Amino acid sequence: MPDTGLVRTTNIERTLIDAVVRPGYSGGVFEIKKAFEEAKDKLSVNKLLSYLQKLNYKYPYHQSIGFYLEKASYSHNQLKLVDELEKPFNFYLDYKMGEMNYDAKWKIYYPRGL
């Protein structure tokens, strides 16, 4: 492939999905929450969910995404898009979190203090 000097990039929606899927590669859950907060005025939840559907993960990452959206105070309408999806399993936001809390709405275990 010829060197054109261009750098391939992705968008906010895909980057946040990648962060949610592999929190350890993205600075951890506290940094991901901060990224959702900072993306609030730029993020399209519809686009994010469209990408997530195409990626067809076996794990319910939409539950983690909904949790982050809620923690970052996204609008009711944005949260509703994710909340309407089935929440089939209890799920962990990350591995080896130590002391945890549980969010019954999203069926997510998350580190205490988040």
Side-chain angles (χ1 to χ4, degrees):
M1 180 179 265
D3 182 11
T4 62
L6 298 176
V7 176
R8 289 180 176 244
T9 61
T10 186
N11 57 29
I12 291 170
E13 292 80 9
R14 179 58 200 258
T15 300
L16 288 173
I17 290 170
D18 291 343
V20 168
V21 170
R22 293 285 179 252
Y25 296 158
S26 305
V29 297
F30 291 89
E31 288 298 316
I32 296 169
K33 178 184 175 264
K34 187 175 166 183
F36 272 88
E37 290 169 348
E38 291 179 6
K40 195 171 183 179
D41 296 329
K42 304 170 196 99
L43 178 72
S44 166
V45 175
N46 282 320
K47 186 187 288 187
L48 186 147
L49 292 176
S50 172
Y51 288 159
L52 197 60
Q53 182 180 19
K54 288 176 189 169
L55 291 164
N56 196 30
Y57 289 113
K58 292 182 185 199
Y59 294 106
Y61 291 114
H62 65 281
Q63 290 173 218
S64 299
I65 289 167
F67 174 83
Y68 282 118
L69 293 171
E70 188 167 281
K71 286 290 185 182
S73 301
Y74 278 65
S75 75
H76 171 75
N77 288 338
Q78 290 170 308
L79 285 169
K80 185 178 172 186
L81 295 169
V82 186
D83 193 27
E84 291 175 339
L85 301 174
E86 183 181 2
K87 297 170 202 68
F89 307 109
N90 288 327
F91 196 58
Y92 292 81
L93 215 49
D94 199 1
Y95 302 97
K96 300 179 184 178
M97 292 186 290
E99 292 189 38
M100 294 179 282
N101 290 333
Y102 179 72
D103 186 295
K105 176 180 178 179
W106 297 107
K107 298 175 82 173
I108 288 284
Y109 287 97
Y110 62 98
R112 195 165 285 165
L114 184 64

